[in-house]
Amino acid sequence: MIVEAKSISKRLGETRAIDGLSFVLTDGIVGLVGKNGAGKSTLLRCLAGVYQLDAGELLCDGVPIGLSRPAEGTFFLPDDPYCPKGLSLKGLYRFLSCHYALDYSAIRDMAMEFGLPTDKPISSFSKGMKRQAYLAAALSVDSRLLLLDEAFDGLDPLALEKIKSRIVERFVGKDRLVIIASHNIVSLERLSDTFLLIDKGRLSDKGASEEIAHGLTKIQAVFSVPVSESDIESLGIDVIGFRSQGAMAEFLTHDESSIDKLKGRFAPPYIEKVPLTSTEIIAHAMAEGEKHE
């Protein structure tokens, strides 16, 4: 599956919610991240055929996506899903089955796993239970393109991990695409294959997490005596997100020669480059964006 945006734009009133956005996504799990109001929800609604673009073109496998014309096999779970008053989880399944091909065993199994009653009104559920119910319904749909808007908000850590496992099980390696919009980067950790960072309706300067991380190094070191951030910067090393505890320090930098400089000055008994997490990469990009506003 290939979803492509070609210079798309969308206004909501006086606000340009999406502004000349372009990208290409293939099958897998994509984290769509950015601050509140960045344009994430608007983009998902365009992909779902809820909003008509003002300019540009959205394509899925070469077929245009437009108003009321989402890609075949699309399911969209908004951040405020509609549920008819008094409807139970079983009733929600029947309601959705009028429009989508659903796997009843999947929604039944998830309801049992989460301890969700199938005959009680969803309106009586707690916030977290409602999220679980809607996600159970969304993951029971046989969709090729799943769009989730802030769907993890309100989930406890155990439920979140269970949902992540279900998403991976149903979508990874099966020519399917999941796009999950969230302002909470941590909730997408160890789930998304890649990230798209949106700011004011546009991609960040780099766009995807792999590009954001290019040239960025994470250093961990244990020094013989405590070393401060200013001590490291005095060597001409740019220091990002410095943290220390006793003689141990950790920071990000763009300086490829930082290890050699630190060895030459402080001779630390332990120092090495360590992998960056997706959370660190995106958090860094968002912080950099705020500096330039």
Side-chain angles (χ1 to χ4, degrees):
M1 169 173 279
I2 300 176
V3 172
E4 184 176 5
K6 296 183 177 181
S7 300
I8 63 172
S9 295
K10 175 64 182 177
R11 280 187 176 276
L12 296 177
E14 297 299 316
T15 302
R16 190 181 290 273
I18 300 178
D19 187 9
L21 187 62
S22 296
F23 59 79
V24 177
L25 301 174
T26 56
D27 58 288
I29 302 173
V30 176
L32 181 62
V33 296
K35 297 180 294 184
N36 290 329
K40 306 184 299 297
S41 296
T42 302
L43 174 58
L44 292 189
R45 282 168 168 74
C46 292
L47 286 166
V50 177
Y51 288 164
Q52 178 69 52
L53 292 174
D54 296 329
E57 190 175 25
L58 275 173
L59 303 168
C60 181
D61 292 335
V63 178
I65 297 171
L67 185 63
S68 301
R69 293 198 328 272
E72 184 178 355
T74 297
F75 187 85
F76 172 47
L77 182 64
D79 59 347
D80 54 347
Y82 168 73
C83 182
K85 188 176 181 180
L87 206 65
S88 65
L89 186 55
K90 187 181 293 185
L92 179 61
Y93 173 85
R94 292 177 181 145
F95 175 74
L96 291 174
S97 65
C98 296
H99 307 281
Y100 303 97
L102 269 68
D103 179 353
Y104 179 72
S105 63
I107 197 170
R108 180 196 61 204
D109 292 347
M110 280 185 276
M112 291 180 60
E113 186 175 5
F114 296 131
L116 299 174
T118 58
D119 295 317
K120 290 185 178 181
I122 293 175
S123 59
S124 68
F125 290 3
S126 67
K127 180 179 179 180
M129 289 173 65
K130 287 178 182 177
R131 288 291 182 184
Q132 292 172 28
Y134 292 131
L135 281 163
L139 294 177
S140 72
V141 177
D142 185 21
S143 55
R144 292 188 65 224
L145 176 59
L146 178 62
L147 309 171
L148 303 177
D149 191 3
E150 300 291 355
F152 298 157
D153 187 28
L155 292 181
D156 63 70
L158 180 58
L160 178 58
E161 290 307 312
K162 288 180 179 179
I163 289 293
K164 286 182 179 181
S165 296
R166 287 280 185 169
I167 292 174
V168 170
E169 176 185 308
R170 290 185 69 83
F171 287 89
V172 171
K174 299 180 180 178
D175 191 32
R176 298 182 179 190
L177 176 62
V178 185
I179 303 177
I180 307 172
S182 180
H183 64 277
N184 184 355
I185 311 165
V186 176
S187 68
L188 301 176
E189 188 66 55
R190 300 187 306 279
L191 176 64
S192 299
D193 304 310
T194 189
F195 287 84
L196 290 181
L197 174 59
I198 289 187
D199 182 30
K200 297 179 181 177
R202 298 182 177 184
L203 287 187
S204 71
D205 291 341
K206 298 297 180 73
S209 54
E210 295 86 352
E211 297 167 321
I212 295 168
H214 182 70
L216 195 62
T217 299
K218 182 178 178 180
I219 303 294
Q220 282 185 347
V222 175
F223 297 94
S224 301
V225 294
V227 172
S228 68
E229 181 175 357
S230 59
D231 290 332
I232 297 173
E233 289 178 332
S234 69
L235 302 178
I237 300 172
D238 64 305
V239 178
I240 304 164
F242 180 83
R243 294 186 297 177
S244 66
Q245 184 173 0
M248 177 174 283
E250 180 180 281
F251 62 93
L252 307 182
T253 182
H254 293 95
D255 192 330
E256 295 181 356
S257 62
S258 57
I259 288 183
D260 290 336
K261 291 178 180 177
L262 289 168
K263 284 182 176 179
R265 174 65 178 83
F266 299 108
Y270 165 82
I271 185 169
E272 68 174 359
K273 295 180 182 179
V274 295
L276 284 83
T277 66
S278 298
T279 300
E280 290 170 327
I281 295 168
I282 300 300
H284 165 65
M286 292 176 70
E288 288 296 297
E290 290 179 352
K291 290 180 183 178
H292 294 94
E293 288 184 353

